[in-house]
Amino acid sequence: MARPGRFETPADALKLGRLLADTRRLAVAGLVIALLAHAALFSYLVITRSEIREAQPPTLEFVMRTPRLTKPFELKKKRVQRKMTRRQVQTEIVPDIAISERINRPDVFGTVTTFNYAIESGATVGGQAVVPEIAAFARLASTKEPEKRLSMQEEFLDLDALDTGKYKGLVIQDPTNKQDIQGFVYLALAVGEELDPPTPRAIPQLARAVNKYTMINAKVEDRLKLDSRDLFKAPFVYITANKAFNLTAQEVRNVREYLRMGGFVFAENGVPSLEYGPAEASLRKMFKDVLKKDARFIMLSYDHPIHHSFFDFNDGPPPGGEILSATGGSKVPSPHLEGIFLEGRLVAVYSDKAYGAIWEREFSNEPQLKMGLNLVVFALTQQGSIAQQQIDFYSQK
């Protein structure tokens, strides 16, 4: 055996060509086996794959059953026999009736004229003449259709029946007794875009006085906006201010139309101690803007009906807020109220007495509240006022 050389190793005994050939043969064999295995697996999956069924949505089946008759259905036709009959009607003889009219004295309804009717008939029953009587009723003259006309005798007996919201004040006064007055009225404090009245409790206190001294049912409404159409329903509007203000164009148009259609405004300076102050200037300017040349302020004499509409103030209106004298510094009462007339009707009263601030008190305000009551009664009963127009509509003289 030959002795190995100095640089020989065991690896020199390997035959690389043979080793390469064996490796290739084994790699090809392994690849073939892998392909066969995958082909077999694929075939198995394709052959043995089970079909997956998708779930179907639930369905509702309607079953219409044929109705079952409990009784046999029969169509029967009945013959109706009509007989012609003759009915004899005997006409009643209506006797001639003579109606005599007799006028009575005025009743508690004031200007409503009443009549009594006596009917004389020639018909006899049992040998005695029959004289039926018809109760007295108020004569109505209206453009309404007869079936839509109100029975004012029933309505006037209870004026609350007319308190439906259509009218804000209706009263009836006995012409022989001015304190015999009944009806209803809604009172509210007027406000404007710039007009913010300083006495919010004045109207509620005035309403209490009306309820206390009269049979008028006085109620307090929310603030009355001068640019609202509700203004034309109010028979009495109270406007007061303690600072400068201006009316909008719409407010001016509303107040102008309201006064000319029968409205009544009691305007009051809330700061009478400040002579010719901003509030007084604004109130006087308001009437100038509304009535233009017709805004003429006239002192109301002590014998004017406004001082005697319910209570008598023979010495003029009671003192209220007073004007500071420019010389002595003492307080003197404002002796008169001022009025504005349109065609002989008093449409507005201006006051420098600040009655509203005194009305708000809980004591020492009875004369001022009574004067306020006179203003309300006058506004309701004055000829041509909104309230009297409604009364005249239903009961003409």
Side-chain angles (χ1 to χ4, degrees):
M1 181 177 185
R3 187 175 180 178
R6 180 178 179 182
F7 297 101
E8 291 182 355
T9 62
D12 291 339
L14 296 175
K15 300 194 181 290
L16 295 177
R18 186 179 177 181
L19 180 61
L20 181 60
D22 293 343
T23 301
R24 286 178 178 174
R25 186 174 61 256
L26 291 174
V28 171
L31 180 59
V32 171
I33 293 173
L35 290 174
L36 293 174
H38 280 81
L41 181 62
F42 178 76
S43 300
Y44 175 76
L45 293 176
V46 171
I47 295 173
T48 60
R49 184 183 62 175
S50 60
E51 185 178 352
I52 300 176
R53 296 183 178 180
E54 296 182 357
Q56 299 295 328
T59 59
L60 183 62
E61 183 179 359
F62 292 94
V63 178
M64 298 183 63
R65 301 184 182 276
T66 304
R68 302 174 64 183
L69 298 177
T70 57
K71 293 183 179 180
F73 180 77
E74 296 180 0
L75 183 60
K76 295 182 179 181
K77 184 177 181 181
K78 296 182 179 181
R79 179 177 299 177
V80 179
Q81 296 182 354
R82 294 181 174 86
K83 296 181 179 181
M84 302 297 293
T85 59
R86 177 181 297 177
R87 185 178 58 181
Q88 296 181 353
V89 179
Q90 184 176 0
T91 304
E92 298 180 358
I93 300 175
V94 180
D96 295 334
I97 298 176
I99 301 177
S100 61
E101 183 176 307
R102 183 171 65 253
I103 302 177
N104 287 343
R105 61 177 178 81
D107 55 11
V108 295
F109 299 147
T111 60
V112 181
T113 305
T114 59
F115 296 86
N116 279 342
Y117 291 90
I119 300 180
E120 299 177 356
S121 173
T124 58
V125 177
Q128 297 181 355
V130 178
V131 185
E133 292 185 358
I134 299 178
F137 60 94
R139 185 182 62 180
L140 303 179
S142 171
T143 57
K144 286 191 172 184
E145 299 176 4
E147 61 273 10
K148 298 181 180 179
R149 193 174 299 163
L150 296 178
S151 173
M152 293 310 298
Q153 182 180 1
E154 298 178 1
E155 297 293 342
F156 282 163
L157 292 178
D158 183 10
L159 279 180
D160 290 337
L162 288 176
D163 186 7
T164 61
K166 182 178 180 181
Y167 313 117
K168 297 301 181 182
L170 288 176
V171 295
I172 299 174
Q173 188 178 39
D174 186 352
T176 62
N177 182 7
K178 63 186 177 183
Q179 293 192 346
D180 185 3
I181 186 171
Q182 60 178 323
F184 65 90
V185 66
Y186 288 80
L187 302 176
L189 192 62
V191 297
E193 188 72 23
E194 298 182 9
L195 176 63
D196 187 16
T199 53
R201 295 182 60 250
I203 289 298
Q205 289 288 82
L206 179 60
R208 292 191 186 98
V210 173
N211 291 327
K212 176 181 178 181
Y213 294 110
T214 74
M215 294 299 294
I216 301 174
N217 183 16
K219 302 177 184 179
V220 180
E221 280 199 315
D222 294 335
R223 293 186 170 191
L224 179 64
K225 294 183 179 181
L226 294 178
D227 60 356
S228 170
R229 297 300 298 179
D230 291 337
L231 177 68
F232 299 95
K233 298 180 181 179
F236 176 87
V237 174
Y238 178 53
I239 299 177
T240 181
N242 61 351
K243 58 184 180 181
F245 70 93
N246 286 298
L247 297 186
T248 65
Q250 180 60 41
E251 291 170 347
V252 170
R253 287 192 295 268
N254 265 24
V255 176
R256 178 186 300 122
E257 186 178 355
Y258 169 73
L259 292 178
R260 295 191 181 278
M261 291 178 59
F264 180 88
V265 170
F266 177 50
E268 191 167 50
N269 178 15
V271 193
S273 59
L274 185 59
E275 190 171 6
Y276 304 115
E280 179 180 359
S282 296
L283 288 169
R284 293 183 182 274
K285 180 179 180 296
M286 175 187 72
F287 287 112
K288 293 291 184 182
D289 294 340
V290 170
L291 298 177
K292 304 298 181 182
K293 63 179 181 179
D294 292 328
R296 294 187 293 270
F297 293 86
I298 300 174
M299 292 291 182
L300 298 178
S301 62
Y302 294 167
D303 59 354
H304 189 275
I306 204 168
H307 299 110
H308 307 277
S309 59
F310 193 85
F311 293 108
D312 290 314
F313 291 92
N314 298 321
D315 298 328
E322 294 160 328
I323 301 176
L324 288 173
S325 173
T327 56
S330 61
K331 295 183 178 180
V332 295
S334 176
H336 291 87
L337 297 175
E338 299 178 62
I340 298 178
F341 294 83
L342 290 179
E343 298 179 356
R345 182 174 61 86
L346 182 62
V347 300
V349 171
Y350 173 78
S351 165
D352 260 325
K353 293 183 169 293
Y355 280 146
I358 301 178
W359 291 346
E360 287 191 317
R361 298 176 184 174
E362 297 297 335
F363 54 89
S364 300
N365 58 0
E366 184 176 356
Q368 292 78 17
L369 284 172
K370 288 183 176 180
M371 186 64 212
L373 188 153
N374 268 29
L375 291 166
V376 174
V377 171
F378 180 83
L380 291 169
T381 58
Q382 181 183 203
Q383 187 64 33
S385 67
I386 290 178
Q388 287 303 306
Q389 288 179 26
Q390 299 300 333
I391 295 294
D392 293 341
F393 175 76
Y394 293 114
S395 56
Q396 301 290 339
K397 288 184 178 182

